[in-house]
Amino acid sequence: NAGVTQTPKFQVLKTGQSMTLQCAQDMNHEYMSWYRQDPGMGLRLIHYSVGAGITDQGEVPNGYNVSRSTTEDFPLRLLSAAPSQTSVYFCAGTPGLATLVYEQFFGPGTRLTVL
Amino acid sequence: AQKVTQVQTEISVVEKEDVTLDCVYETRDTTYYLFWYKQPPSGELVFLIRRNSFDEQNEISGRYSWNFQKSTSSFNFTITASQVVDSAVYFCALSEAWGQNFVFGPGTRLSVLP
């Protein structure tokens, strides 16, 4: 997984609870992204960051916040969990322009269930 | 807007057969990157290959080969002499220049039967 770690691996929440999914990388990846994976829908981009202090919305950003205060960390916050947010969440890092390596390397994923 | 379509939702083959997974993409960018990823039953996402839009050479890596045709906006993946361990979901993906703004296809589930 090229140095991308995610915690926790599993999480169960009740509707309305908030929580933060952690993502960290130690390979100096320039870009970082969060995806959710739902059956039959592939991976959909939630938010991404092209560097510390810079974030942007992806395809499905509603209900989620991100920040990137350091290059290494890119947490994803669920503000008020809803059953529709039950999914598997993947964090990914891309080395980027500095290394001319543009493929994404994924963390192991977090399986989230919202009751 | 960018879009990736994977023609087959599911494919089932018998071991040692060859199988091709089709990927068709849409983009207005002149510089872009195409990728294939594998997701085995264990769930992790494994990078297989990256192809730049300005490099249409086909590539072979062991039993895997990739055919990139800009004229038809396709980036197809062939597994020769398939094995049970090839059973997985395979994703085709497209990104803008410098690896930003990835778009994934819905995936093709490949089952290789013994």
Side-chain angles (χ1 to χ4, degrees):
Chain A
N1 60 8
V4 180
T5 59
Q6 290 182 239
T7 55
K9 288 189 177 180
F10 301 94
Q11 183 70 50
V12 178
L13 292 177
K14 293 182 179 178
T15 297
Q17 287 185 315
S18 62
M19 79 157 296
T20 299
L21 306 185
Q22 300 292 343
C23 176
Q25 56 95 0
D26 59 3
M27 301 288 285
N28 206 28
H29 293 318
E30 189 172 355
Y31 310 140
M32 295 188 76
S33 305
W34 274 103
Y35 294 87
R36 59 178 290 172
Q37 183 178 22
D38 301 295
M41 301 188 73
L43 288 98
R44 292 183 293 169
L45 182 64
I46 304 172
H47 287 284
Y48 64 98
S49 168
V50 299
I54 306 170
T55 63
D56 207 347
Q57 296 181 352
E59 179 186 355
V60 289
N62 292 341
Y64 308 95
N65 273 353
V66 292
S67 61
R68 192 153 178 216
S69 55
T70 67
T71 304
E72 293 77 20
D73 298 301
F74 191 46
L76 177 72
R77 297 182 187 84
L78 279 71
L79 308 173
S80 177
S84 61
Q85 293 179 304
T86 294
S87 188
V88 180
Y89 291 84
F90 287 97
C91 180
T94 305
L97 190 57
T99 59
L100 302 181
V101 176
Y102 302 128
E103 47 268 31
Q104 292 191 327
F105 297 98
F106 286 84
T110 295
R111 184 174 295 275
L112 175 69
T113 301
V114 183
L115 303 175
Chain B
Q2 301 188 122
K3 184 179 178 181
V4 176
T5 301
Q6 292 185 245
V7 176
Q8 305 95 348
T9 303
E10 293 191 35
I11 301 176
S12 186
V13 299
V14 177
E15 206 169 18
K16 297 185 183 177
E17 286 185 2
D18 299 346
V19 58
T20 295
L21 312 182
D22 298 317
C23 173
V24 177
Y25 63 92
E26 296 175 26
T27 182
R28 294 179 181 174
D29 295 334
T30 54
T31 300
Y32 52 90
Y33 296 90
L34 295 162
F35 307 83
W36 277 95
Y37 285 82
K38 175 182 180 180
Q39 187 175 42
S42 52
E44 72 270 26
L45 284 151
V46 179
F47 164 72
L48 295 178
I49 189 172
R50 177 191 78 192
R51 176 59 71 218
N52 308 328
S53 57
F54 44 85
D55 180 5
E56 287 193 69
Q57 280 192 333
N58 293 330
E59 184 155 339
I60 298 175
S61 176
R63 298 184 296 106
Y64 295 172
S65 62
W66 291 270
N67 179 263
F68 174 32
Q69 292 196 335
K70 246 177 150 174
S71 60
T72 56
S73 297
S74 64
F75 186 43
N76 298 334
F77 174 27
T78 297
I79 302 175
T80 303
S82 60
Q83 299 176 2
V84 173
V85 293
D86 295 327
S87 296
V89 180
Y90 291 87
F91 292 99
C92 181
L94 166 70
S95 80
E96 297 173 350
W98 306 308
Q100 297 184 45
N101 202 14
F102 265 68
V103 173
F104 282 81
T108 296
R109 181 177 299 278
L110 173 65
S111 298
V112 181
L113 307 174

